[in-house]
Amino acid sequence: MSRITDIINPDNDGGQVLWNHVPIKTLGKKYRKNIGFMPQQQELYSNMTAWDFMSYISSLKRTPKKSAKENIENALK
């Protein structure tokens, strides 16, 4: 899953991940917008509020700040 989500890179001869026959390394944001990923062992940080945590996850997904703010506000309502 870490390779499919572009979190880790394959070794030199480890192959490549394709999406619609195109290497994901060449797709950047276009690829990441089309996938979702929730790790099995999501760490919860005791010093973070729900808002902080959702903002953190949004930044990992590279969601634009304005969209992230709106999405977080809607989700928390």
Side-chain angles (χ1 to χ4, degrees), residues 52-63 65 68 72:
D52 292 338
F53 183 74
M54 293 175 81
S55 180
Y56 167 67
I57 295 300
S58 294
S59 68
L60 292 178
K61 289 189 65 166
R62 297 182 180 148
T63 303
K65 288 183 181 185
I72 292 168

Side-chain angles (χ1 to χ4, degrees), residues 14-75:
Q16 61 183 335
V17 177
L18 304 176
W19 184 61
N20 292 332
H21 308 287
V22 179
I24 65 169
K25 288 289 177 196
T26 64
L27 296 172
K29 288 181 184 182
K30 180 180 176 184
Y31 172 72
R32 283 188 290 279
K33 282 185 174 187
N34 287 285
I35 61 169
F37 176 61
M38 183 63 180
Q40 287 182 318
Q41 302 297 322
Q42 180 58 53
E43 193 70 33
L44 297 175
Y45 304 102
S46 61
N47 62 330
M48 285 186 163
T49 64
W51 177 276
D52 292 338
F53 183 74
M54 293 175 81
S55 180
Y56 167 67
I57 295 300
S58 294
S59 68
L60 292 178
K61 289 189 65 166
R62 297 182 180 148
T63 303
K65 288 183 181 185
K66 182 178 179 182
S67 297
K69 181 180 178 187
E70 292 171 3
N71 293 340
I72 292 168
E73 287 173 353
N74 288 334

Side-chain angles (χ1 to χ4, degrees), residues 8-19:
I8 63 170
N9 297 320
D11 298 331
N12 289 338
D13 292 324
Q16 61 183 335
V17 177
L18 304 176
W19 184 61

